[in-house]
Amino acid sequence: MRFHPDQLPQTKHLFFTGKGGVGKTSIAAASAVGLADKGYQVLLVSTDPASNLQDIFDTNLSNQQTAIPSIHGLHALNINPEDAASTYREKMVGPYRGKLPDVAIKNMEEQLSGACTVEIAAFDEFTTLLADTESNQTFDYIVFDTAPTGHTLRLLQLPTAWSDFLETSTHGASCLGPVSGLKEKQSLYNQTTTTLADEKQTSLFLVSRPEEASMFEANRASTELHELGIKNQYLVINGIHPFDASDDLIASGFIYNQNQVLQQLPSALRLLPQYQVPLFAENIEGERGLRTIFAENVINEKVETCPAPHLPGTNEIVDEVIQNNTRLIMTMGKGGVGKTTTAASLALDLAKRGYSVHLTTTDPANHLRLALVDQTIPKAMTVNRIDPKEETEAYKQAILSRVSADLDKDSLDYIKEDLDSPCTEEIAVFHAFAKTAARANEEFVVLDTAPTGHTLLLLDAAESYHQEVLRSNGDIPAEVKELLPRLRDPNETAVVVVSLPEATPVLEANRLEEDLIRADIKPTWWLINHSFLATSTTDPVLSGRAIQEAKWINTITNTHPERTCLVPYQARHLMI
């Protein structure tokens, strides 16, 4: 079904959610504009840290409702989740300043610096808005750009999340901190989760791209939310090439990959009502661009070209690590930017040059297997996988075995849910990473994904680091002691930040870099992946996309001169 305001479900609240870069802000904003054009009063709310609503509407936005002058009936507000998290963090930590040692305060602040804390703070903001009687009476529709994850909603449904237990808990892996600081809003939060699950009031749209990694994340979100009773879900597939076939080799491969994904949708997504949004030659910018989403004819037959910048490829990275004998190479980036294929490419190049190399991943979907499917593995190269599920389960059981005898059922349920947070998985695989990284003493090691700067700081914080190690192993192995100094030494470790030449992936990669720098780890290279500009495509849609890429490629190269490489889109490579 083509995405159009006439086809949207008739519920007051429309939530759009999805991973960064899938286009949820554009889809949400287009929905709001389309409904306002039909004569409805609409409020558009964003809690996306990479939101560009201000640019789209050329209007300064804040956390207060602002009328969009050029669109009758449309108001918008932009909740800055980082500001909300900062306020939340100080509310949690402030009462303890001057009462606890500085090292304890530092540990608390780092615990509250994770993605989960940002989400819970933003959730607090839009929960208040969702319950605002005046707004609900004023507007026919309230459109939300982003929605809470299943993990956050499950956590807030547990009784212990509102008890004083949290204020004294020392079980270890919490990245939410003492939610009880907001327990005066417990009934309000309960009302919000009830509203989300009410199909007469709320519709939830899972926005995805026709790419395997993107669908994997959408399927996981759908399953989590469905288990919580939020079954009023719709799938929006954004960026479908409008041609069925093409003589252009790049476009032909793109269409083939896309069709393979669409034919093999994960089980949970196949059951959902589905909307489709075509791939456009130009970025969706401004009000005119938003209305283009609903246009019947989106194909522009005019082919434009733009010269690609002269940037090195991955071979330059390999040349440098060999010359400097930098044995540990880590590829980092958000899901779907191609960090797995990048890691595989670097490892294969090293091995083909005759060097002993070990390649490993913690990807839960094991995309490394797909990245190597057409490759002959050299004898000098070994490949394995750190299974996050197994590592995390062992870590959780170790913690639960130490505290279960002293806690009641509600407290145990809270710990179990708290241990399902993304931060827990990173901490759980930390020791496996340390053990693998230690192989760099003897050979090149390429790690596909690694602990974020936040997790490293959390583990490095005095007491916290020591306690986490003791909880899982009972002592501090040598490889664990050596890991952080190794990661912080550019002579020993090369960090490759992988991004796509698009707005949201670049902004998210910038935040990742800032996170790493906080942990005293400076990325060595930026890699711009899957670039149409770096190909010779003559497809009218993809060549249009290529021209749009130039802005973001220039943005990266200007801030990272001589530290950026460019990799062309290759149809046989999935976005993993």
Side-chain angles (χ1 to χ4, degrees), residues 378-451:
K379 291 182 179 180
M381 178 172 160
T382 56
V383 182
N384 81 342
R385 174 173 176 252
I386 298 170
D387 190 322
K389 188 174 181 180
E390 291 179 6
E391 300 289 342
T392 304
E393 186 60 31
Y395 174 85
K396 290 194 290 187
Q397 290 304 317
I399 289 177
L400 291 172
S401 67
R402 286 165 171 76
V403 300
S404 58
D406 302 320
L407 300 176
D408 59 26
K409 181 180 181 301
D410 286 347
S411 297
L412 277 175
D413 285 344
Y414 170 78
I415 290 181
K416 288 176 182 178
E417 181 53 46
D418 194 25
L419 289 170
D420 281 338
S421 77
C423 295
T424 299
E425 183 175 293
E426 284 195 302
I427 293 171
V429 300
F430 182 75
H431 288 93
F433 261 118
K435 186 175 181 180
T436 302
R439 296 180 61 152
N441 293 327
E442 307 296 333
E443 61 186 336
F444 284 99
V445 175
V446 182
L447 295 175
D448 167 30
T449 75

Coordinates of all heavy atoms in Angstrom, one line a residue, residues 378-451:
P378 N 41.8 -17.1 3.3 CA 43.2 -17.5 3.3 C 43.6 -18.3 4.5 O 43.0 -18.1 5.6 CB 43.9 -16.1 3.3 CG 42.9 -15.1 2.8 CD 41.6 -15.6 3.3
K379 N 44.6 -19.1 4.4 CA 45.1 -19.9 5.5 C 45.6 -19.1 6.7 O 45.5 -19.5 7.8 CB 46.2 -20.9 5.0 CG 45.7 -22.0 4.1 CD 46.8 -22.9 3.7 CE 46.3 -24.0 2.7 NZ 47.4 -24.9 2.3
A380 N 46.0 -17.9 6.4 CA 46.6 -17.0 7.4 C 45.5 -16.4 8.2 O 45.8 -15.6 9.2 CB 47.5 -15.9 6.8
M381 N 44.2 -16.6 7.9 CA 43.1 -15.9 8.6 C 42.2 -16.8 9.3 O 41.8 -17.9 8.8 CB 42.3 -15.1 7.5 CG 41.1 -14.4 8.0 SD 40.4 -13.4 6.7 CE 38.8 -13.1 7.3
T382 N 41.9 -16.5 10.6 CA 41.0 -17.2 11.4 C 39.8 -16.4 11.7 O 39.9 -15.1 11.8 CB 41.6 -17.7 12.7 OG1 42.1 -16.6 13.4 CG2 42.7 -18.7 12.4
V383 N 38.6 -17.0 11.8 CA 37.3 -16.2 12.0 C 36.6 -16.9 13.2 O 36.5 -18.1 13.2 CB 36.5 -16.3 10.8 CG1 35.2 -15.4 11.0 CG2 37.2 -15.7 9.6
N384 N 36.1 -16.1 14.1 CA 35.2 -16.6 15.1 C 34.1 -15.6 15.5 O 34.2 -14.4 14.9 CB 35.9 -17.1 16.3 CG 36.3 -16.0 17.3 OD1 36.3 -14.9 16.9 ND2 36.6 -16.4 18.5
R385 N 33.2 -15.9 16.4 CA 32.2 -15.0 16.8 C 32.0 -15.1 18.3 O 32.0 -16.2 18.9 CB 30.9 -15.5 16.1 CG 29.6 -14.7 16.6 CD 28.4 -15.1 15.7 NE 27.2 -14.4 16.2 CZ 26.2 -15.0 16.9 NH1 26.3 -16.3 17.1 NH2 25.2 -14.4 17.3
I386 N 32.0 -13.9 18.9 CA 31.7 -13.8 20.3 C 30.1 -13.8 20.4 O 29.5 -12.8 19.9 CB 32.3 -12.6 20.9 CG1 33.8 -12.6 20.8 CG2 31.8 -12.4 22.4 CD1 34.5 -11.3 21.2
D387 N 29.5 -14.7 21.0 CA 28.1 -14.8 21.0 C 27.5 -13.9 22.2 O 27.7 -14.3 23.3 CB 27.6 -16.2 21.2 CG 26.1 -16.4 21.0 OD1 25.3 -15.5 21.5 OD2 25.6 -17.4 20.5
P388 N 27.0 -12.8 21.8 CA 26.5 -11.9 22.9 C 25.5 -12.5 23.8 O 25.4 -12.2 25.0 CB 25.9 -10.7 22.1 CG 26.5 -10.7 20.8 CD 26.7 -12.2 20.5
K389 N 24.6 -13.3 23.2 CA 23.6 -13.9 24.0 C 24.1 -14.9 25.1 O 23.7 -14.8 26.2 CB 22.6 -14.7 23.1 CG 21.4 -15.3 23.8 CD 20.4 -15.9 22.8 CE 19.2 -16.4 23.5 NZ 18.2 -17.0 22.5
E390 N 25.1 -15.7 24.7 CA 25.7 -16.6 25.6 C 26.5 -15.8 26.7 O 26.4 -16.2 27.9 CB 26.7 -17.6 24.9 CG 25.9 -18.5 24.0 CD 26.9 -19.5 23.3 OE1 28.1 -19.4 23.6 OE2 26.4 -20.3 22.4
E391 N 27.3 -14.8 26.3 CA 28.1 -14.0 27.2 C 27.2 -13.3 28.2 O 27.4 -13.2 29.4 CB 29.0 -13.0 26.5 CG 30.0 -13.7 25.5 CD 31.1 -14.4 26.2 OE1 31.3 -14.1 27.4 OE2 31.8 -15.2 25.6
T392 N 26.1 -12.7 27.7 CA 25.2 -11.9 28.5 C 24.4 -12.8 29.5 O 24.3 -12.5 30.7 CB 24.2 -11.2 27.6 OG1 24.9 -10.4 26.7 CG2 23.3 -10.3 28.5
E393 N 24.0 -14.0 29.0 CA 23.3 -14.9 29.9 C 24.2 -15.4 31.0 O 23.8 -15.5 32.2 CB 22.8 -16.1 29.1 CG 21.9 -17.1 29.9 CD 20.6 -16.4 30.4 OE1 20.1 -15.4 29.8 OE2 20.2 -16.8 31.5
A394 N 25.4 -15.7 30.7 CA 26.4 -16.1 31.8 C 26.6 -15.0 32.8 O 26.7 -15.2 34.0 CB 27.7 -16.5 31.1
Y395 N 26.7 -13.8 32.3 CA 26.9 -12.6 33.1 C 25.7 -12.4 34.1 O 25.9 -12.2 35.3 CB 27.2 -11.4 32.2 CG 27.2 -10.1 33.0 CD1 28.4 -9.6 33.5 CD2 26.1 -9.2 33.1 CE1 28.5 -8.4 34.2 CE2 26.2 -8.0 33.8 CZ 27.4 -7.6 34.3 OH 27.4 -6.4 35.0
K396 N 24.5 -12.5 33.5 CA 23.3 -12.2 34.3 C 23.2 -13.3 35.3 O 22.8 -13.0 36.5 CB 22.1 -12.2 33.4 CG 22.0 -11.0 32.5 CD 20.6 -10.8 31.8 CE 20.4 -11.8 30.8 NZ 19.1 -11.6 30.1
Q397 N 23.4 -14.6 35.0 CA 23.3 -15.6 35.9 C 24.3 -15.5 37.1 O 24.0 -15.8 38.2 CB 23.5 -17.0 35.3 CG 22.4 -17.4 34.3 CD 21.0 -17.4 35.0 OE1 20.9 -17.9 36.1 NE2 20.0 -16.8 34.3
A398 N 25.5 -15.0 36.8 CA 26.5 -14.8 37.8 C 26.0 -13.7 38.8 O 26.2 -13.9 40.0 CB 27.8 -14.3 37.2
I399 N 25.4 -12.6 38.3 CA 24.9 -11.6 39.2 C 23.7 -12.1 40.0 O 23.6 -12.0 41.2 CB 24.5 -10.4 38.4 CG1 25.7 -9.6 37.9 CG2 23.6 -9.4 39.3 CD1 25.4 -8.4 37.0
L400 N 22.7 -12.8 39.3 CA 21.5 -13.2 40.0 C 21.8 -14.3 41.1 O 21.2 -14.3 42.1 CB 20.5 -13.8 39.0 CG 19.9 -12.8 38.0 CD1 19.1 -13.5 36.9 CD2 19.0 -11.8 38.8
S401 N 22.8 -15.1 40.8 CA 23.2 -16.1 41.8 C 23.7 -15.5 43.1 O 23.6 -16.1 44.2 CB 24.2 -17.1 41.2 OG 25.5 -16.4 41.0
R402 N 24.2 -14.3 43.0 CA 24.8 -13.6 44.2 C 23.8 -12.8 45.0 O 24.0 -12.6 46.2 CB 25.9 -12.7 43.8 CG 27.2 -13.4 43.4 CD 28.2 -12.5 42.6 NE 29.5 -13.1 42.4 CZ 29.7 -14.1 41.5 NH1 28.7 -14.5 40.7 NH2 30.9 -14.6 41.4
V403 N 22.6 -12.5 44.3 CA 21.7 -11.6 45.0 C 20.3 -12.2 45.2 O 19.5 -11.7 46.0 CB 21.5 -10.3 44.2 CG1 22.8 -9.5 44.1 CG2 20.9 -10.5 42.9
S404 N 20.0 -13.3 44.6 CA 18.7 -13.9 44.6 C 18.2 -14.3 46.0 O 17.0 -14.2 46.3 CB 18.6 -15.1 43.6 OG 19.5 -16.1 44.0
A405 N 19.1 -14.7 46.8 CA 18.8 -15.2 48.2 C 18.3 -14.0 49.1 O 17.6 -14.3 50.1 CB 19.9 -15.9 48.8
D406 N 18.7 -12.8 48.7 CA 18.5 -11.7 49.6 C 17.3 -10.8 49.2 O 17.0 -9.8 49.8 CB 19.7 -10.8 49.8 CG 20.9 -11.6 50.3 OD1 20.7 -12.5 51.2 OD2 22.0 -11.5 49.8
L407 N 16.7 -11.1 48.0 CA 15.7 -10.1 47.4 C 14.4 -10.8 47.2 O 14.3 -12.0 47.1 CB 16.2 -9.6 46.1 CG 17.6 -8.8 46.1 CD1 18.0 -8.5 44.7 CD2 17.5 -7.6 47.0
D408 N 13.3 -10.0 47.3 CA 12.0 -10.5 47.0 C 11.8 -10.6 45.5 O 12.6 -10.2 44.7 CB 10.9 -9.6 47.7 CG 10.9 -8.2 47.2 OD1 11.4 -7.9 46.1 OD2 10.5 -7.3 48.0
K409 N 10.6 -11.1 45.1 CA 10.3 -11.4 43.7 C 10.3 -10.1 42.9 O 10.9 -10.1 41.8 CB 8.9 -12.1 43.6 CG 8.6 -12.4 42.1 CD 7.2 -13.1 42.0 CE 6.9 -13.4 40.6 NZ 6.9 -12.3 39.7
D410 N 9.7 -9.0 43.4 CA 9.6 -7.8 42.6 C 11.0 -7.2 42.4 O 11.3 -6.8 41.3 CB 8.8 -6.7 43.4 CG 7.3 -7.0 43.3 OD1 6.9 -7.9 42.5 OD2 6.6 -6.4 44.1
S411 N 11.9 -7.3 43.4 CA 13.2 -6.8 43.2 C 14.0 -7.6 42.2 O 14.8 -7.1 41.4 CB 14.0 -6.8 44.6 OG 13.3 -5.9 45.5
L412 N 13.8 -9.0 42.3 CA 14.5 -9.8 41.3 C 14.0 -9.6 39.9 O 14.8 -9.6 38.9 CB 14.2 -11.3 41.7 CG 15.2 -11.9 42.8 CD1 14.7 -13.3 43.1 CD2 16.6 -11.9 42.3
D413 N 12.7 -9.3 39.8 CA 12.1 -9.0 38.4 C 12.7 -7.8 37.9 O 13.0 -7.6 36.7 CB 10.6 -8.9 38.5 CG 9.9 -10.2 38.6 OD1 10.5 -11.3 38.4 OD2 8.7 -10.2 39.0
Y414 N 12.9 -6.8 38.8 CA 13.5 -5.5 38.3 C 15.0 -5.8 37.8 O 15.4 -5.3 36.8 CB 13.6 -4.5 39.4 CG 14.4 -3.3 39.0 CD1 13.9 -2.3 38.1 CD2 15.8 -3.2 39.4 CE1 14.7 -1.3 37.7 CE2 16.6 -2.2 38.9 CZ 16.0 -1.2 38.1 OH 16.8 -0.2 37.6
I415 N 15.7 -6.5 38.6 CA 17.1 -6.8 38.2 C 17.2 -7.5 36.9 O 18.0 -7.2 36.0 CB 17.8 -7.6 39.3 CG1 18.1 -6.7 40.6 CG2 19.2 -8.1 38.8 CD1 18.8 -7.4 41.7
K416 N 16.3 -8.5 36.7 CA 16.3 -9.2 35.5 C 16.0 -8.3 34.3 O 16.6 -8.4 33.2 CB 15.2 -10.3 35.5 CG 15.6 -11.5 36.5 CD 14.5 -12.5 36.6 CE 14.8 -13.6 37.5 NZ 13.7 -14.6 37.7
E417 N 15.0 -7.4 34.4 CA 14.7 -6.5 33.3 C 15.9 -5.4 33.1 O 16.2 -5.1 32.0 CB 13.4 -5.7 33.6 CG 13.0 -4.8 32.5 CD 13.0 -5.4 31.1 OE1 12.5 -6.5 31.0 OE2 13.6 -4.9 30.2
D418 N 16.4 -5.0 34.2 CA 17.5 -4.0 34.2 C 18.7 -4.6 33.4 O 19.4 -4.0 32.7 CB 17.9 -3.6 35.6 CG 18.8 -2.3 35.6 OD1 18.7 -1.6 34.6 OD2 19.6 -2.1 36.5
L419 N 18.9 -5.9 33.7 CA 20.0 -6.6 33.0 C 19.7 -6.9 31.5 O 20.6 -7.4 30.8 CB 20.3 -7.9 33.8 CG 20.9 -7.8 35.1 CD1 20.9 -9.1 35.9 CD2 22.3 -7.2 35.0
D420 N 18.5 -6.6 31.1 CA 18.2 -6.7 29.6 C 18.6 -5.5 28.8 O 18.3 -5.4 27.7 CB 16.7 -7.0 29.4 CG 16.4 -8.5 29.7 OD1 17.4 -9.3 29.6 OD2 15.3 -8.8 29.9
S421 N 19.2 -4.5 29.5 CA 19.5 -3.2 28.9 C 20.7 -3.4 27.9 O 21.5 -4.3 28.1 CB 19.9 -2.2 29.9 OG 21.2 -2.4 30.4
P422 N 20.8 -2.5 26.9 CA 21.9 -2.6 26.0 C 23.3 -2.5 26.7 O 24.2 -3.2 26.2 CB 21.7 -1.4 25.0 CG 20.2 -1.1 25.1 CD 19.9 -1.5 26.5
C423 N 23.3 -1.7 27.7 CA 24.6 -1.6 28.4 C 25.1 -2.9 29.0 O 26.3 -3.2 29.1 CB 24.5 -0.6 29.6 SG 24.2 1.1 29.0
T424 N 24.2 -3.7 29.5 CA 24.5 -5.0 30.1 C 25.2 -5.9 29.1 O 26.2 -6.6 29.4 CB 23.3 -5.7 30.6 OG1 22.7 -5.0 31.6 CG2 23.6 -7.1 31.2
E425 N 24.7 -5.9 27.8 CA 25.3 -6.8 26.8 C 26.7 -6.3 26.5 O 27.6 -7.2 26.4 CB 24.5 -6.7 25.5 CG 25.0 -7.6 24.4 CD 24.1 -7.6 23.2 OE1 23.0 -8.1 23.3 OE2 24.6 -7.1 22.2
E426 N 27.0 -5.0 26.5 CA 28.3 -4.5 26.2 C 29.3 -4.9 27.4 O 30.4 -5.3 27.1 CB 28.3 -3.0 26.1 CG 27.7 -2.5 24.7 CD 28.1 -1.1 24.5 OE1 27.7 -0.2 25.3 OE2 28.7 -0.8 23.4
I427 N 28.8 -4.8 28.6 CA 29.6 -5.2 29.7 C 29.9 -6.7 29.7 O 31.0 -7.1 30.0 CB 29.0 -4.7 31.1 CG1 28.9 -3.2 31.1 CG2 29.7 -5.3 32.3 CD1 28.1 -2.6 32.3
A428 N 28.9 -7.4 29.4 CA 29.0 -8.9 29.4 C 30.1 -9.4 28.4 O 30.8 -10.4 28.7 CB 27.7 -9.6 29.1
V429 N 30.1 -8.8 27.2 CA 31.1 -9.2 26.2 C 32.5 -8.6 26.4 O 33.4 -8.9 25.7 CB 30.6 -9.0 24.8 CG1 29.3 -9.7 24.5 CG2 30.5 -7.5 24.5
F430 N 32.6 -7.7 27.4 CA 33.8 -7.0 27.6 C 35.0 -7.9 27.8 O 36.1 -7.7 27.3 CB 33.7 -6.0 28.8 CG 34.9 -5.2 29.1 CD1 35.2 -4.1 28.4 CD2 35.7 -5.5 30.2 CE1 36.3 -3.3 28.6 CE2 36.8 -4.7 30.5 CZ 37.1 -3.6 29.7
H431 N 34.8 -9.0 28.6 CA 35.9 -9.9 28.9 C 36.3 -10.7 27.7 O 37.4 -11.0 27.4 CB 35.5 -10.8 30.1 CG 35.5 -10.1 31.4 ND1 34.4 -9.6 31.9 CD2 36.5 -9.8 32.3 CE1 34.7 -9.0 33.1 NE2 35.9 -9.1 33.3
A432 N 35.2 -11.1 26.9 CA 35.5 -11.8 25.7 C 36.3 -10.9 24.7 O 37.2 -11.4 24.0 CB 34.2 -12.3 25.0
F433 N 36.0 -9.6 24.6 CA 36.7 -8.7 23.8 C 38.2 -8.6 24.3 O 39.1 -8.6 23.5 CB 36.1 -7.3 23.9 CG 35.2 -7.0 22.8 CD1 33.9 -6.7 22.9 CD2 35.7 -6.9 21.5 CE1 33.1 -6.4 21.9 CE2 34.9 -6.5 20.4 CZ 33.6 -6.3 20.6
A434 N 38.3 -8.5 25.6 CA 39.6 -8.4 26.2 C 40.5 -9.6 25.8 O 41.7 -9.4 25.5 CB 39.6 -8.2 27.7
K435 N 39.9 -10.8 25.9 CA 40.7 -12.0 25.6 C 41.1 -12.0 24.1 O 42.2 -12.4 23.8 CB 39.8 -13.2 26.0 CG 40.6 -14.5 25.8 CD 39.7 -15.7 26.3 CE 40.4 -17.0 26.2 NZ 39.6 -18.1 26.7
T436 N 40.1 -11.6 23.3 CA 40.4 -11.6 21.8 C 41.4 -10.5 21.5 O 42.3 -10.8 20.7 CB 39.1 -11.3 21.0 OG1 38.1 -12.4 21.4 CG2 39.3 -11.3 19.6
A437 N 41.3 -9.3 22.1 CA 42.2 -8.2 21.8 C 43.6 -8.6 22.2 O 44.6 -8.1 21.6 CB 41.8 -7.0 22.5
A438 N 43.8 -9.4 23.2 CA 45.1 -9.8 23.7 C 45.8 -10.6 22.6 O 47.1 -10.7 22.6 CB 45.0 -10.7 24.9
R439 N 45.1 -11.2 21.6 CA 45.8 -11.9 20.5 C 46.6 -11.0 19.7 O 47.4 -11.5 18.9 CB 44.7 -12.6 19.7 CG 43.9 -13.7 20.4 CD 42.9 -14.4 19.5 NE 43.5 -15.1 18.4 CZ 43.0 -16.1 17.8 NH1 41.9 -16.6 18.2 NH2 43.5 -16.6 16.7
A440 N 46.3 -9.7 19.8 CA 47.1 -8.7 19.0 C 48.6 -8.7 19.4 O 49.4 -8.1 18.7 CB 46.5 -7.3 19.2
N441 N 48.9 -9.3 20.5 CA 50.3 -9.5 20.9 C 51.1 -10.4 19.9 O 52.3 -10.2 19.7 CB 50.5 -10.1 22.3 CG 50.0 -9.2 23.4 OD1 50.1 -8.0 23.3 ND2 49.4 -9.8 24.4
E442 N 50.3 -11.2 19.2 CA 50.9 -12.2 18.3 C 50.5 -12.0 16.8 O 51.3 -12.5 15.9 CB 50.6 -13.6 18.7 CG 50.9 -13.9 20.2 CD 52.3 -13.9 20.5 OE1 53.2 -14.1 19.6 OE2 52.7 -13.6 21.6
E443 N 49.4 -11.4 16.5 CA 48.9 -11.3 15.2 C 48.0 -10.1 15.0 O 47.7 -9.4 16.0 CB 48.1 -12.5 14.8 CG 46.9 -12.8 15.7 CD 46.2 -14.1 15.5 OE1 46.3 -14.6 14.3 OE2 45.5 -14.6 16.4
F444 N 47.6 -9.8 13.8 CA 46.6 -8.7 13.6 C 45.2 -9.2 14.1 O 44.8 -10.3 13.8 CB 46.5 -8.3 12.2 CG 47.7 -7.4 11.7 CD1 48.7 -7.9 11.0 CD2 47.7 -6.0 12.0 CE1 49.8 -7.2 10.6 CE2 48.8 -5.2 11.6 CZ 49.8 -5.8 10.9
V445 N 44.5 -8.3 14.7 CA 43.1 -8.7 15.2 C 42.2 -7.6 14.7 O 42.4 -6.4 14.9 CB 43.0 -8.8 16.7 CG1 41.6 -9.0 17.2 CG2 44.0 -9.9 17.2
V446 N 41.1 -8.0 14.0 CA 40.1 -7.1 13.5 C 38.8 -7.4 14.2 O 38.2 -8.5 14.2 CB 39.9 -7.2 12.0 CG1 38.8 -6.2 11.5 CG2 41.2 -7.1 11.2
L447 N 38.3 -6.4 15.0 CA 37.1 -6.6 15.8 C 35.9 -5.8 15.1 O 36.0 -4.6 14.9 CB 37.2 -6.0 17.2 CG 38.3 -6.7 18.1 CD1 38.4 -6.0 19.4 CD2 37.8 -8.2 18.4
D448 N 34.9 -6.5 14.7 CA 33.7 -5.9 14.2 C 32.8 -5.5 15.4 O 32.1 -6.3 16.0 CB 32.9 -6.9 13.3 CG 31.5 -6.5 13.0 OD1 31.3 -5.3 12.9 OD2 30.6 -7.3 12.8
T449 N 32.7 -4.2 15.6 CA 32.1 -3.6 16.8 C 32.9 -3.7 18.0 O 33.6 -4.7 18.2 CB 30.6 -4.0 17.0 OG1 30.6 -5.3 17.6 CG2 29.8 -4.0 15.8
A450 N 32.7 -2.8 19.0 CA 33.4 -2.8 20.2 C 32.6 -2.1 21.3 O 31.6 -1.4 20.9 CB 34.8 -2.2 20.0
P451 N 33.0 -2.2 22.5 CA 32.3 -1.4 23.6 C 32.4 0.1 23.3 O 33.4 0.6 22.8 CB 33.1 -1.8 24.9 CG 33.7 -3.1 24.6 CD 34.1 -3.0 23.1

